[in-house]
Amino acid sequence: TEVFWGMFNCFPTLVGAIVIYTSSTFVNYDMGGMITWLVVIIVTFAIIFAINSSIHSFLVVKYAKSDTVAKSVGFYYMSNAVGRLVGTLGSGFLYTYAGGQVETLGGYAAGNDARLGLAACFVAGTISSLLAAVITIWIKDEDAGLKCGNCCTLVEPKAADAIEGEEGAGAS
């Protein structure tokens, strides 16, 4: 479930990067079109991110030992805060310097094309989401299956007897 939503989380930022970099709307700085694209991309990302966040919270509590749930949740939120700080600083750096010119001996000058800076931030977001999704491949969480609300089951959940049998087999 988490890998699916993690990979799905990459699409809005990838589409955003492509649109910002290649679309005539952004190349020609058509303000109305740019605002529309950005709102659609950001709202889509926010919805998918909210689903991902709820899955993460569930998994933190699910995998925490009963006597260390508070510590695990605290570590989760602390990690989130550090990630957001690093992401904010990194995206600020990317936005500032993407599209800049390398000076002869003076070093690297700040970029002057906001479109390239914003596209670079979306590319970095896509790479970060993809990396997080790839890392979660090693989390074994197929027990509950994959459902889309009550109407659609994409992956059948494992039967309780099969899960207990696997746990018993692993213990011997």
Side-chain angles (χ1 to χ4, degrees):
T1 301
E2 171 52 26
V3 174
F4 170 79
W5 283 104
M7 292 292 189
F8 196 52
N9 198 43
C10 296
F11 287 107
T13 52
L14 178 61
V15 168
I18 292 169
V19 167
I20 291 167
Y21 188 72
T22 63
S23 168
S24 63
T25 300
F26 283 88
V27 171
N28 298 327
Y29 292 98
D30 171 21
M31 193 59 67
M34 291 188 326
I35 290 171
T36 301
W37 268 110
L38 287 174
V39 167
V40 169
I41 290 166
I42 291 170
V43 167
T44 304
F45 177 80
I47 291 168
I48 297 169
F49 185 82
I51 293 168
N52 256 323
S53 183
S54 65
I55 293 170
H56 294 165
S57 297
F58 168 76
L59 290 175
V60 167
V61 173
K62 177 181 176 183
Y63 287 114
K65 294 180 180 159
S66 61
D67 59 339
T68 63
V69 172
K71 189 188 312 181
S72 296
V73 171
F75 183 78
Y76 168 71
Y77 283 110
M78 180 189 68
S79 300
N80 259 313
V82 170
R84 288 171 194 224
L85 174 64
V86 170
T88 300
L89 296 174
S91 63
F93 177 82
L94 277 173
Y95 183 80
T96 301
Y97 289 100
Q101 302 294 323
V102 177
E103 302 290 324
T104 51
L105 292 174
Y108 195 79
N112 56 5
D113 190 346
R115 181 180 62 88
L116 293 178
L118 189 57
C121 291
F122 275 88
V123 168
T126 303
I127 292 169
S128 297
S129 293
L130 184 62
L131 181 61
V134 168
I135 289 170
T136 58
I137 289 173
W138 287 278
I139 295 175
K140 300 299 177 199
D141 188 43
E142 297 84 23
D143 298 348
L146 176 59
K147 292 187 175 189
C148 185
N150 291 330
C151 62
C152 181
T153 301
L154 302 173
V155 176
E156 289 294 328
K158 288 186 177 179
D161 295 336
I163 295 169
E164 290 172 10
E166 287 177 9
E167 290 173 357
S172 53

